[in-house]
Amino acid sequence: MARVLVVGGGIAGDTLALMLERDGWAVTVAEIAPAPRAGGQAVDLRGDCREVLDGLGLLPAALECLVPQAGAAWIDARERRLAEMPVTAFDGRGYVSEEELLRTDLARIIHRAAGPGVTHRFGETVEALEDTPDGVRARFRSGTTEEFDLVVGADGAHSRVRALRFGPEERHRKPLGLAHAWFTLPERPGTPRLDGWFLIYNEPGRRSVQARPGRAGEQEIGLTFAADSLPPRQDREARFALLERTFADVGWRAAEFLAAARQAEDFALDTFDQVRMPSWRDGRVVLLGDSAWCASPLSGLGTALALRGAAELATALKSADVPADPGRLPAALASYERTMRPRVTSAQQLPPGRVASMAPATALGIRANALAMRALQSRPLRPLVRRAMAGTEHGRTTTGAAQAA
Ligand SMILES: Cc1cc2nc3c(=O)[nH]c(=O)nc-3n(C[C@H](O)[C@H](O)[C@H](O)COP(=O)(O)OP(=O)(O)OC[C@H]3O[C@@H](n4cnc5c(N)ncnc54)[C@H](O)[C@@H]3O)c2cc1C
């Protein structure tokens, strides 16, 4: 039986794992976290997300987890609306969709669908990948060594597989100039309610504070600010200190969110980057998802590309019947890359002003952004926006997408 090692058990890795299992591969998933990773904000179920989940028979489970949405609203410090875009704008095909679920729920649904042919090793990663005449020998952090017919790096934007095989991160990472913290806030008595609205508060100096609906009794919080790099991941204190310094004088609910961030189990902070690579394959090692092509949360397409990429890679391996004829592996990987390349190139082309509108620099910029949001819904512009939405509708994660007209 052909053996594949998938490094990273996120959306891309776990989706590929269950597809390859169904195609007869023995699948090992090495996930660095001690358990399936929770966390993350809303994923838009339209387009690629819906299609791939439907093909896997997982759409009904995803539809059961939809988060009620009323729309997006840009507010001032007293929560007065500067602009709003209801979920019904553009016939329900606007920036916030009626069909959104949390990344946590999507990851759980995919993870649980794996059968006995998938072995998950949590708290595990690869330390070295060495080519052999018939495969790739992986040395694991736990000290064991094993040989595989194929190794897939699905270990996210800061991929170790990419670093081991394709060179250091700096070579491929294109920072977009913003960083984003996100976490889940449990509602307590006295917590202002959102009533389904995704609220966005901007303050001059490129600071944006967002609260959006999560599971019942929870809100998903985002804090966005200008930064190309961050203190090291291990230095949690330096990361919180940076966040607290940056948002110290910011109004609305910023102080409440800063205090809650330290308590949140799923707190995460990262830069908004893109990953751009001339090739995603090297012999029997191939990259998938954010590790290969992170388009950044600003594209709103990270999860859709991860799902589509997993489907295309599985299809290419199956069409070439690689388990029966390993000699066809290079052609299969080339076919996967050919199919995905145009989608990725298009997703990485952020419209002009997208980064700036996520966290405007000045009070004038904030007002102009709100005005633009209102103008987009005006009668003359509506058909244009509808067309633009149809062109990009492959299913989106909506961190920032609502703000990124
Ligand atoms: C916890 C979390 C929350 C997220 N929240 C959002 C969000 O709110 N909005 C948004 O737009 N995008 C978010 N993302 C990114 C989004 O999931 C991806 O853009 C998209 O789904 C592509 O998925 P991926 O599987 O390629 O990467 P990811 O979802 O990043 O998954 C990568 C997986 O690899 C694991 N991993 C990392 N390094 C190693 C290693 N060295 N060895 C083994 N495993 C490793 C990670 O723990 C993770 O499980 C989040 C990602 C994670 C992991």
Side-chain angles (χ1 to χ4, degrees), residues 174-378:
K174 308 285 173 241
L176 296 176
L178 290 176
H180 184 70
W182 69 96
F183 61 92
T184 302
L185 175 86
E187 288 177 345
R188 300 193 191 327
T191 302
R193 297 302 193 253
L194 301 174
D195 297 325
W197 283 93
F198 174 11
L199 298 183
I200 301 152
Y201 172 68
N202 289 312
E203 191 145 317
R206 308 193 68 197
R207 283 117 13 117
S208 174
V209 182
Q210 308 114 36
R212 59 185 310 160
R215 286 179 178 160
E218 293 179 346
Q219 299 179 11
E220 295 297 326
I221 307 306
L223 298 162
T224 309
F225 58 102
D228 270 346
S229 59
L230 294 166
R233 216 158 279 273
Q234 317 79 272
D235 195 346
R236 273 177 69 82
E237 192 44 50
R239 292 186 148 219
F240 280 122
L242 171 65
L243 206 59
E244 284 159 2
R245 247 185 351 264
T246 307
F247 286 88
D249 61 335
V250 172
W252 189 45
R253 298 172 62 191
E256 173 196 347
F257 296 159
L258 286 177
R262 282 189 179 264
Q263 314 300 323
E265 279 177 17
D266 62 350
F267 175 83
L269 171 64
D270 208 345
T271 42
F272 278 163
D273 300 328
Q274 291 197 335
V275 170
R276 295 187 181 218
M277 303 182 67
S279 172
W280 302 323
R281 61 207 149 91
D282 176 29
R284 292 169 176 271
V285 178
V286 66
L287 300 180
L288 168 69
D290 277 4
S291 68
W293 58 61
C294 179
S296 100
L298 290 186
S299 75
L301 288 165
T303 300
L305 286 175
L307 288 165
R308 176 57 66 194
E312 294 298 344
L313 180 52
T315 301
L317 294 168
K318 189 175 179 182
S319 306
D321 201 8
V322 171
D325 183 354
R328 294 197 191 139
L329 180 67
L333 298 185
S335 157
Y336 151 71
E337 181 152 353
R338 259 196 319 276
T339 314
M340 283 308 292
R341 192 56 82 171
R343 287 173 182 269
V344 167
T345 305
S346 148
Q348 288 186 331
Q349 278 162 7
L350 302 177
R354 180 156 282 199
V355 176
S357 71
M358 179 77 198
T362 62
L364 188 64
I366 293 168
R367 281 203 300 278
N369 189 51
L371 203 64
M373 291 307 142
R374 291 207 300 266
L376 285 174
Q377 298 169 78
S378 66

Side-chain angles (χ1 to χ4, degrees), residues 6-14 30-33 35-43 103-104 106 121 124-126 153-161 180 182 220 266 268 272 288-298 300-307 396-400:
V6 180
V7 183
I11 303 283
D14 267 355
E31 163 59 49
I32 201 164
R37 284 199 58 183
Q41 304 192 336
V43 172
R103 182 200 165 279
T104 303
L106 179 60
R121 295 188 195 163
E124 184 64 288
T125 187
V126 283
D155 46 347
H158 305 289
S159 168
R160 178 171 296 189
V161 174
H180 184 70
W182 69 96
E220 295 297 326
D266 62 350
F272 278 163
L288 168 69
D290 277 4
S291 68
W293 58 61
C294 179
S296 100
L298 290 186
L301 288 165
T303 300
L305 286 175
L307 288 165
R396 303 168 300 142
T397 39
T398 53
T399 305

Side-chain angles (χ1 to χ4, degrees), residues 15 18 22 45 50 52-64 101 106 109-114 307:
T15 304
L18 72 93
R22 289 176 187 188
L45 257 189
R50 178 178 263 274
V52 175
L53 291 173
D54 200 17
L56 288 167
L58 300 179
L59 188 58
L63 289 171
E64 274 174 28
L101 78 167
L106 179 60
I109 289 166
I110 295 169
H111 181 76
R112 288 193 181 159
L307 288 165

